[in-house]
Amino acid sequence: CRLFNHPRQRQVFNMSRREHKSYREIAEELELSQKTVEAHMHEALRFLRDNLALLLWLALLNDGPAC
């Protein structure tokens, strides 16, 4: 299953949420503007929020994570 529309969205999301890096740190490491990092996070969080029910349903059907 494809959770993010852009390959960098997953990378930015993971760096922010799993590695606890700031948007500034992510931007510097990936050589992106901070605004681009913010846009990737905005889109990733919007996707997760809009599809939370579906993702939970898939997780239950698969007896584990949806992806």
Side-chain angles (χ1 to χ4, degrees):
C1 130
R2 189 170 173 200
L3 284 182
F4 300 100
N5 294 326
H6 191 280
R8 288 281 183 165
Q9 278 183 2
R10 175 183 293 262
Q11 187 176 20
V12 167
F13 182 85
N14 285 335
M15 290 174 80
S16 174
R17 295 304 194 249
R18 292 185 177 176
E19 299 174 26
H20 308 287
K21 293 186 178 184
S22 69
Y23 290 178
R24 183 185 54 77
E25 292 171 321
I26 296 167
E28 288 174 3
E29 189 171 325
L30 298 180
E31 298 181 356
L32 299 171
S33 74
Q34 190 167 331
K35 286 289 187 189
T36 299
V37 171
E38 291 171 8
H40 281 315
M41 282 300 296
H42 174 78
E43 290 301 317
L45 293 170
R46 185 175 72 166
F47 174 85
L48 292 173
R49 182 186 64 240
D50 291 349
N51 293 286
L52 182 60
L54 174 62
L55 293 171
L56 290 173
W57 180 249
L58 290 173
L60 290 172
L61 287 176
N62 292 322
D63 245 3
C67 298

